[in-house]
């Protein structure tokens, strides 16, 4: 029996992880759940139906609600509560599926505690990759990616990471892959929240529309697989069936194919190197018919290029990229800036920043705070233009 803790259990990844675990009650036991607190009722239901001993919630009102309804369980609150649960060592695997750089605080606790870290929260790695990897190395914590592209590459690389020539990340292209540059300037949050292939949380759905998601994933791949940026490429693949590819020095390409269903990489991260049977729609190749690959429209989706610039600059610049993007996405979703202003905000904040090495969490937090206030100012300026 594997003990599992899920941070971000009320979100898209968290709920799907509980679906996977619900299909395998003899293999997994959920010992901890964590969330932000915007849906306390759902967290309560999850805690009851999986008979979870410890629940952590960021929001204090949500914590009070849970303490009232779960008098016989441990209810922790605030960032400190989530960090406590993350680092408690009670689980064999902690799935980090919170959204945003906020998740880094808990992910670091998991990495320090030495247990397996199943990481969906890509912003944690983009902002704090050096710190997180160092903590994993020190404790022996195994880091397994949940992001579908990285899970694909991880599986293709088993045992042969020395002879890699290139990683090719596939991208669906998002809902606006066929929009003209002019049309992109007019798109609304509602349109951006309709992804053609995947159903996900709002932040990553907007990131998929700007291609900032692919930018975050390029940086994520660099950290996870120690591959230089010039050897990480992106290919637009509309069907989201090929989840990514690895090219080796002899010209061989290995890829991972499957239906676009996040339960597959989630289950793999929980059970690797074993595989679990899942109630997925197994792929019928004849009904897929064609697999297509196209170049990225770099000019129309500048957030992706900016991620390469941030990655190649290194140090704090990837955290700056991430923070500026988080703020810009929130401003776009609140209807205060245009879709095309998201990349402008990121570019502006990066231009104002001189990268520094990220040796401590304090340095990182200071950079992150600075980038957020700079991004907010620039978003305010752009909203009035
Ligand atoms: P979501 O918005 O659906 O869920 C986010 C979760 O984080 C919720 O449970 C929320 O309560 C929790 N949360 C938010 N703020 C918090 C805080 N301050 N403290 C504690 N918990 C907090 O997001 P999602 O789509 O599930 O994505 C989660 C992460 O996984 C993101 O980093 C995303 O990029 C990554 N990811 C998601 C998918 C997907 O298909 N949804 C695929 C690949 C990677
Ligand atoms: Mg992905």
């Amino acid at each position: 029996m594997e003990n599992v803790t899920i941070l971000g259990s009320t979100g898209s990844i968290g709920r799907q992880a509980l679906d996977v675990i619900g299909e395998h009650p003899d293999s997994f036991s959920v010992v901890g759940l964590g969330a932000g607190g915007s849906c306390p009722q759902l967290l309560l239901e999850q805690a009851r139906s999986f008979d979870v001993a410890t629940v952590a919630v960021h929001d204090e009102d949500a914590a009070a609600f849970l303490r009232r309804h779960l008098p016989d369980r441990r209810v922790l609150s605030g960032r400190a509560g989530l960090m406590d649960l993350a680092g408690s060592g009670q689980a064999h695997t902690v799935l980090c599926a919170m959204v945003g750089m906020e998740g880094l605080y808990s992910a670091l606790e998991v990495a320090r505690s030495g247990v397996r870290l199943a990481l969906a929260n890509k912003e944690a790695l983009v902002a704090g990759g050096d710190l997180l990897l160092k903590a994993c190395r020190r404790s022996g914590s195994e880091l397994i990616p949940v992001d579908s592209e990285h899970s694909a590459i991880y599986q293709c690389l088993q045992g042969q990471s020395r002879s890699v020539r290139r990683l090719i990340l596939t991208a669906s292209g998002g809902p606006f892959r066929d929009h003209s540059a002019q049309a992109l300037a007019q798109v609304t949050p509602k349109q951006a929240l309709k992804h053609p292939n995947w159903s996900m949380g709002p932040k990553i759905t907007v990131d998929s529309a700007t291609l900032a998601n692919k930018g975050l994933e390029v940086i994520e791949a660099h950290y996870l697989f120690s591959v230089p940026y010039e050897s990480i490429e992106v290919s637009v693949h509309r069907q989201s069936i090929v989840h990514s590819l690895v090219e080796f020095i002899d010209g061989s390409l290995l890829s991972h194919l499957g239906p676009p269903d996040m339960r597959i990489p989630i289950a793999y991260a929980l059970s690797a190197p074993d595989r679990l049977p899942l109630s997925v729609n197994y792929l019928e190749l004849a009904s897929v018919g064609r697999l297509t690959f196209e170049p990225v429209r770099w000019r129309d989706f500048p957030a992706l290029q900016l991620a390469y610039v941030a990655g190649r600059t290194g140090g704090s610049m990837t955290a700056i990229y991430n923070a500026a993007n988080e703020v810009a996405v929130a401003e776009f979703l609140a209807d205060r800036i245009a879709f095309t202003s998201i990349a402008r905000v990121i570019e502006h904040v990066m231009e104002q920043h001189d990268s520094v090495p990220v040796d401590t969490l304090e340095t990182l937090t200071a950079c992150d705070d600075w980038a957020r206030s700079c991004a907010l100012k620039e978003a305010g300026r752009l909203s009035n233009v």
Side-chain angles (χ1 to χ4, degrees), residues 76-85:
L76 307 168
S77 60
R79 178 189 286 169
L82 280 143
M83 289 168 69
D84 258 9
L85 173 60

Side-chain angles (χ1 to χ4, degrees), residues 41-222:
Q41 184 63 40
L42 175 58
L43 190 54
L44 174 65
E45 284 159 20
Q46 292 177 337
R48 281 187 177 144
S49 68
F50 288 87
D51 195 18
V52 177
T54 312
V55 177
V57 65
H58 194 270
D59 181 78
E60 292 297 338
D61 291 340
F65 168 86
L66 289 161
R67 285 189 186 110
R68 270 201 308 282
H69 290 90
L70 295 171
D72 52 342
R73 319 284 162 100
R74 235 176 125 215
V75 178
L76 307 168
S77 60
R79 178 189 286 169
L82 280 143
M83 289 168 69
D84 258 9
L85 173 60
S88 68
Q90 285 162 351
H92 300 105
T93 301
V94 180
L95 169 62
C96 286
M98 288 163 56
V99 62
M101 138 82 186
E102 177 65 29
L104 176 64
Y105 297 97
S106 304
L108 271 174
E109 293 303 316
V110 181
R112 286 177 184 140
S113 75
V115 307
R116 180 186 269 196
L117 168 58
L119 189 71
N121 179 206
K122 64 191 83 181
E123 297 92 345
L125 201 55
V126 170
D130 290 328
L131 297 176
L132 200 56
L133 293 182
K134 196 156 71 176
C136 286
R137 274 195 302 271
R138 276 205 185 141
S139 70
S141 172
E142 187 188 7
L143 173 55
I144 305 201
V146 171
D147 216 347
S148 55
E149 296 77 0
H150 305 76
S151 176
I153 292 170
Y154 184 87
Q155 292 177 58
C156 292
L157 279 178
Q158 294 302 311
Q160 37 194 337
S161 58
R162 282 210 201 97
S163 317
V164 172
R165 182 170 178 273
R166 239 180 350 157
L167 303 181
I168 303 170
L169 297 177
T170 49
S172 69
F176 308 136
R177 57 196 176 197
D178 296 319
H179 274 47
S180 67
Q182 289 93 318
L184 282 174
Q186 309 299 327
V187 301
T188 63
K190 200 171 159 207
Q191 292 170 310
L193 288 172
K194 271 204 202 112
H195 195 279
N197 303 356
W198 300 92
S199 160
M200 311 180 284
K203 195 259 174 183
I204 183 177
T205 306
V206 175
D207 286 346
S208 301
T210 59
L211 295 198
N213 181 51
K214 214 45 59 180
L216 296 169
E217 291 184 354
V218 166
I219 300 168
E220 188 185 6
H222 168 79

